[in-house]
Amino acid sequence: MKKNLVIYVMIGLAFLLSCAAIAGGAYFRAGVETFTLYIGQPSDRMVLAPREVPDFYTTEANRQAAYDAAATRELNHPIRTRDETVWVAVAHVIDMRFDELSIIRDAYTLEREVIENNRTEWYAAIQALQAERLREQEEWDILRTVHLATGGYEEELPPRPYDFEITPDLEWVEPAPAMLSMFWDMPIFFTEAQQMYLLNIPHPALTELWETTWETAQVIQAGAIHEWEETGALERVLNAIRHYLDDNVPDAMTRDIVFEIVSRSVRPNHFIDQEATERRRLEDEDNFVRVTVQAGERIISEGDLVTERAYRILEYLGYIGNETDWRDEFRQAIIPLSGMFLLTAALFVGVVMYLSFYRPTIISMRKEAALIFVLYTLVLVLIWVLREQPYHFLPVLIFPMLVSVLIDRRCAIMLSVSVVMVGFFIVEGSLAYLLFFSISSILLCLLSRFTTQRSNIILVGILVTAIQFALSLAVTFTLERSFALDNMQLHLTSAGFAAVNGLLTVIICMGSLPFWEAIFGVVTPIKLLDLTNPTNLLLRRLTIEAPGTYHHSLMVANLAESAAYDIGANAHAARVGGYYHDVGKLKFPHFFAENINGENPHEYLEPINSAGLIVSHISYGLTLAAQHRLPQFVRDIIREHHGTTLMQFFYVKAKEADPSATEEDYRYPYNIPKTRESACVMLADTVEAAVRSMMPKMKSTDEVEKAIRDLVRHKLNDGQLADSDLSIKDLDTIIESFARVLKSAHHERIAYPKIEPEVVDPRDPPLIRGLVRKD
């Protein structure tokens, strides 16, 4: 009861310290002087910044200015990209126009040929008519001459044919070229003069005109042509075409034709890149200065008018405290503090319940409870002292690492989360702090598993440093999003401090282990490794004075370690307990079976005396453990590894001599195992000795598991495992583990055939002499 009272007192003190640290922490600003100020009125004092604080007002003004500038730049100067494929389309259009002109020219040529042929035919027909009329006139003249010569009268002759005249119906009418209508189908308007020019110029001239058009379009298209919807874009392109033609084409008709074709062929080739423009806009919006007020910098002077900027800074620092009555003060201070104390109390209750359910030894063992209290108090004080510093400098990680190494990793995870939560209220609780230390504490607890070997400590330090650096950047990127890139140098520096903090945590924790071991008597994995060193004085004595016991202890240690590892117990502690459980046999080593070489001294002793000698190895073992300052758990294993087991051999022998002999006289007068590690050592001790004595009688190693199961069942039925917290499933796992180890240790060996020298002739050379095998 007294022990529990001390533990309850430590829990209460830890709770009170937590409440005091929270009340005096940065979150509630307890004890900060406040004063009344109003915007627009003069200040009655000068105020200096106690630490670096953000200037939200100026920062917001800078952000708004950057936002407006980004919007203006996006509207007036968007990012454009050039589409090189547009020229291919433009060249194709120009080629199509000239292909169309070639078709029209060919059709026009064919039409002109038809017209000329018709003209020739008309002229030939007229000439034929004229010749016919002349012939008719000549015939009439001959007829007249003959008629008159024969005495006829002229009146008797028919009228003389008139001269041939081209009447309107016989006149030639030049037809209009029908092919000119094909120009109407073209998307380009040409005047009649331009049409006739294009139809009648020679082919080389047309080729030269195409080359000039193509070259002009290429020069214009090589420039930046924006969308036609943009104001003035089309006019700029048309002016550029005119200027180029004026400078390079002297012929007016050619200039006009080329202008018509090029102006209707060129296309926009510089288009707005919406994604790049939007990305630049976001970058411009983020490109503003985040202003901070440095420690010691003047916020406002006496007599200065209180600006909104100064008011917001003072309000952030908690210096603004307008006159309120006691009810407002109660609402503003007492109520939130009460809520925080209730949250802290709930957190403590949850931690105590967790430890009571899953690690009751911490609650029951005063040293472990005191160690946790001291570590908690130390870290709590350090957090409170450094509460105004950035969270990267807080030594929160000292607690989870030391608890993991000195006590238990699973308990350390639960306890470290609680420390992080309490620290969240002591410092100015930010989400960055909560994420960073919650995750890093859990990772550090898990990494502490690899500190059991000295060679791994450096690797753990490097891993913790890298994790702290990466985790700091990850939290920053998560919470600040795109704004994180604006102060990348600052964030890298903070991540560097976090990494150094992690490295120093590993160095300080591992370097301080001897101190905690000496003060609180805790055993670290490194201490366990030292205890298993064969150069240890007690182990050296066993190798020299009781070699059989030493070999037996090695086998028990191997069995216990394997079983403890398989059931999730402390394998290192089980191995150390296996090494030292029979160290008391150093007093009378030759009275124990593994060290007897020859005559058995118990044959000359009474059973009760033999039993006393056997039992004495436990009391002497405890004496040696105290002299050599072995850890408490080793002493417990020495005391418990036989429990209250019956020394059956001497009891049966005594019963044969005296039927009134009782079992109580032949049972070990000590405690049954209280921990799983101690139970593993007890079972390993029983199984190793029994199986070693049975091996000569066993026909195969398959009988080993059955023998082990019978031995474990006997211990269970005898009540030796009642307080060990071992489940039936754990016992099955231990049996399988023992069987696996013992089968490998006592495996059947191959009987090698004998080899005898071959009988050879002495005269044979030595090198050819061999051996003959006799099976």
Side-chain angles (χ1 to χ4, degrees):
M1 183 64 183
K2 184 178 180 181
K3 180 191 296 185
N4 292 337
L5 180 62
V6 172
I7 293 174
Y8 294 146
V9 169
M10 286 190 291
I11 294 174
L13 286 176
F15 174 73
L16 294 177
L17 286 173
S18 301
C19 294
I22 291 173
Y27 189 82
F28 287 98
R29 308 292 175 190
V32 176
E33 180 186 3
T34 61
F35 36 87
T36 303
L37 291 176
Y38 298 96
I39 298 175
Q41 294 186 3
S43 172
D44 60 351
R45 68 194 68 202
M46 182 180 70
V47 182
L48 302 179
R51 66 180 189 279
E52 183 181 355
V53 293
D55 184 351
F56 295 109
Y57 184 83
T58 307
T59 300
E60 178 61 22
N62 293 341
R63 191 198 65 78
Q64 186 61 43
Y67 180 86
D68 296 339
T72 303
R73 188 180 184 190
E74 179 186 18
L75 180 63
N76 298 329
H77 302 286
I79 296 177
R80 295 179 177 272
T81 56
R82 183 182 183 86
D83 188 352
E84 299 294 344
T85 62
V86 174
W87 165 244
V88 178
V90 172
H92 178 67
V93 169
I94 293 174
D95 290 340
M96 286 177 59
R97 299 290 87 84
F98 277 91
D99 289 342
E100 292 170 355
L101 287 176
S102 298
I103 293 172
I104 295 174
R105 280 169 57 87
D106 293 341
Y108 178 76
T109 301
L110 292 175
E111 185 181 23
R112 292 306 304 171
E113 290 178 358
V114 171
I115 292 173
E116 289 300 327
N117 289 336
N118 292 337
R119 185 197 301 273
T120 302
E121 291 176 359
W122 172 82
Y123 184 72
I126 293 298
Q127 285 183 336
L129 290 173
Q130 287 177 345
E132 180 64 24
R133 186 60 54 85
L134 289 174
R135 184 181 60 76
E136 290 177 354
Q137 288 179 350
E138 289 176 356
E139 290 179 351
W140 189 84
D141 289 340
I142 294 172
L143 177 63
R144 177 177 176 274
T145 301
V146 173
H147 183 72
L148 290 176
T150 58
Y153 296 100
E154 186 173 352
E155 291 79 5
E156 299 174 347
L157 295 174
R160 189 176 185 273
Y162 295 103
D163 292 336
F164 179 81
E165 294 181 1
I166 301 176
T167 60
D169 59 323
L170 295 177
E171 288 183 352
W172 171 257
V173 179
E174 185 75 20
M179 295 300 105
L180 293 178
S181 63
M182 297 179 67
F183 279 105
W184 301 345
D185 298 331
M186 295 183 67
I188 301 174
F189 175 77
F190 293 112
T191 64
E192 292 184 5
Q194 291 172 346
Q195 292 176 7
M196 298 309 298
Y197 178 81
L198 290 171
L199 292 173
N200 294 304
I201 62 173
H203 185 74
L206 181 65
T207 301
E208 184 177 354
L209 178 65
W210 175 83
E211 292 176 351
T212 303
T213 305
W214 199 87
E215 180 181 351
T216 304
Q218 187 178 33
V219 171
I220 299 302
Q221 200 67 48
I225 304 177
H226 296 175
E227 296 90 337
W228 302 134
E229 293 79 7
E230 182 178 329
T231 304
L234 181 59
E235 288 75 7
R236 289 194 296 271
V237 173
L238 296 179
N239 291 332
I241 298 173
R242 290 191 185 96
H243 291 153
Y244 180 81
L245 293 175
D246 290 341
D247 295 339
N248 296 278
V249 180
D251 182 62
M253 180 64 73
T254 303
R255 285 201 303 270
D256 293 341
I257 294 174
V258 171
F259 177 81
E260 286 296 327
I261 298 175
V262 173
S263 63
R264 297 178 182 273
S265 300
V266 293
R267 299 285 185 273
N269 58 5
H270 270 230
F271 302 97
I272 296 177
D273 188 338
Q274 297 294 346
E275 292 184 1
T277 303
E278 178 67 14
R279 188 163 53 250
R280 187 188 65 181
R281 183 185 67 79
L282 294 176
E283 292 175 355
D284 290 344
E285 289 179 359
D286 294 341
N287 187 23
F288 63 91
V289 179
R290 290 171 172 78
V291 182
T292 58
V293 180
Q294 302 299 318
E297 184 178 345
R298 181 179 60 84
I299 300 175
I300 193 171
S301 298
E302 184 177 359
D304 290 348
L305 294 180
V306 179
T307 62
E308 185 177 354
R309 169 185 176 273
Y311 188 87
R312 291 186 63 181
I313 295 174
L314 294 174
E315 186 179 36
Y316 176 81
L317 289 170
Y319 289 160
I320 300 298
N322 296 328
E323 295 181 0
T324 56
D325 57 17
W326 67 271
R327 287 169 295 189
D328 293 332
E329 293 180 356
F330 180 81
R331 286 193 299 269
Q332 295 175 5
I334 304 302
I335 291 180
L337 278 175
S338 300
M340 205 61 61
F341 293 161
L342 289 176
L343 289 176
T344 305
L347 190 64
F348 267 73
V349 170
V351 170
V352 172
M353 292 179 64
Y354 175 85
L355 295 178
S356 300
F357 295 157
Y358 301 105
R359 188 63 191 270
T361 55
I362 294 180
I363 300 297
S364 60
M365 295 182 64
R366 188 182 302 176
K367 286 186 177 181
E368 290 190 355
L371 175 60
I372 293 178
F373 174 76
V374 171
L375 289 176
Y376 179 77
T377 303
L378 174 64
V379 173
L380 203 66
V381 171
L382 291 176
I383 294 175
W384 189 87
V385 171
L386 299 173
R387 65 190 182 280
E388 302 292 346
Q389 300 300 321
Y391 69 87
H392 303 90
F393 295 92
L394 298 178
V396 178
L397 299 179
I398 291 178
F399 183 84
M401 184 162 192
L402 283 177
V403 174
S404 298
V405 175
L406 296 174
I407 300 177
D408 181 70
R409 283 190 300 276
R410 288 172 292 183
C411 296
I413 292 176
M414 180 64 182
L415 292 171
S416 62
V417 172
S418 304
V419 171
V420 171
M421 292 300 298
V422 173
F424 175 79
F425 300 122
I426 296 176
V427 302
E428 191 175 1
S430 64
L431 183 58
Y433 162 89
L434 197 60
L435 289 174
F436 178 79
F437 281 114
S438 296
I439 298 174
S440 59
S441 296
I442 294 173
L443 292 176
L444 192 58
C445 290
L446 298 175
L447 286 174
S448 65
R449 175 181 181 180
F450 302 102
T451 59
T452 56
Q453 297 182 7
R454 298 182 189 273
S455 59
N456 290 339
I457 295 177
I458 296 177
L459 179 60
V460 170
I462 295 174
L463 285 175
V464 171
T465 302
I467 289 173
Q468 294 289 91
F469 184 86
L471 193 59
S472 176
L473 290 181
V475 170
T476 300
F477 292 160
T478 301
L479 298 182
E480 297 196 13
R481 302 184 181 180
S482 58
F483 297 100
L485 300 178
D486 297 335
N487 293 322
M488 197 61 194
Q489 184 176 0
L490 175 63
H491 299 322
L492 289 174
T493 303
S494 300
F497 285 130
V500 173
N501 186 5
L503 181 61
L504 290 177
T505 298
V506 175
I507 293 174
I508 292 173
C509 291
M510 302 311 296
S512 64
L513 290 182
F515 170 80
W516 304 111
E517 292 174 356
I519 299 299
F520 294 96
V522 294
V523 180
T524 64
I526 296 177
K527 178 66 175 178
L528 293 178
L529 291 176
D530 292 338
L531 291 174
T532 57
N533 193 328
T535 60
N536 186 285
L537 180 59
L538 284 178
L539 296 183
R540 289 187 61 191
R541 285 189 60 189
L542 279 176
T543 60
I544 297 173
E545 300 176 27
T549 300
Y550 177 73
H551 181 266
H552 163 72
S553 299
L554 290 182
M555 289 298 300
V556 170
N558 290 336
L559 291 169
E561 179 187 39
S562 177
Y565 182 84
D566 289 343
I567 65 173
N570 191 331
H572 294 288
R575 184 173 188 83
V576 173
Y579 276 139
Y580 293 93
H581 77 288
D582 275 346
V583 71
K585 293 181 179 179
L586 285 172
K587 187 173 184 180
F588 302 112
H590 298 295
F591 282 90
F592 296 91
E594 64 268 19
N595 299 313
I596 296 176
N597 185 13
E599 195 172 14
N600 187 350
H602 290 286
E603 294 179 359
Y604 304 99
L605 296 176
E606 294 293 330
I608 191 65
N609 295 330
S610 296
L613 285 172
I614 298 299
V615 171
S616 68
H617 85 277
I618 295 180
S619 59
Y620 186 63
L622 293 173
T623 302
L624 290 177
Q627 292 176 355
H628 292 269
R629 297 182 179 179
L630 295 182
Q632 183 61 44
F633 82 91
V634 177
R635 304 182 195 185
D636 292 339
I637 290 176
I638 293 174
R639 181 182 295 106
E640 298 170 358
H641 78 277
H642 282 298
T644 59
T645 305
L646 175 66
M647 290 176 280
Q648 189 172 354
F649 178 82
F650 297 113
Y651 172 69
V652 171
K653 185 177 179 181
K655 200 71 172 173
E656 292 176 353
D658 182 9
S660 62
T662 61
E663 285 189 7
E664 287 73 14
D665 295 333
Y666 292 91
R667 284 188 178 273
Y668 285 93
Y670 293 101
N671 302 329
I672 61 176
K674 297 294 191 299
T675 62
R676 298 198 295 173
E677 294 79 11
S678 181
C680 288
V681 174
M682 167 187 273
L683 295 176
D685 181 39
T686 301
V687 166
E688 195 281 330
V691 170
R692 177 160 41 84
S693 64
M694 295 178 184
M695 284 305 295
K697 303 176 183 178
M698 291 184 179
K699 298 179 180 180
S700 68
T701 56
D702 294 335
E703 300 179 17
V704 172
E705 184 172 351
K706 182 179 182 303
I708 295 173
R709 191 171 298 276
D710 292 339
L711 292 169
V712 172
R713 185 183 298 110
H714 177 73
K715 290 292 183 184
L716 180 63
N717 295 335
D718 196 27
Q720 301 300 315
L721 306 177
D723 297 339
S724 63
D725 292 334
L726 289 178
S727 64
I728 299 300
K729 182 180 179 181
D730 290 337
L731 292 177
D732 287 337
T733 303
I734 291 173
I735 292 170
E736 293 174 0
S737 178
F738 285 171
R740 183 178 65 252
V741 175
L742 289 174
K743 284 180 180 180
S744 62
H746 300 284
H747 60 275
E748 297 179 358
R749 302 186 180 274
I750 300 173
Y752 291 96
K754 295 182 179 181
I755 299 177
E756 297 182 1
E758 180 185 3
V759 179
V760 296
D761 191 337
R763 294 172 295 179
D764 291 339
L767 291 178
I768 65 173
R769 296 175 183 174
L771 296 176
V772 63
R773 175 177 298 175
K774 292 184 178 180
D775 295 331

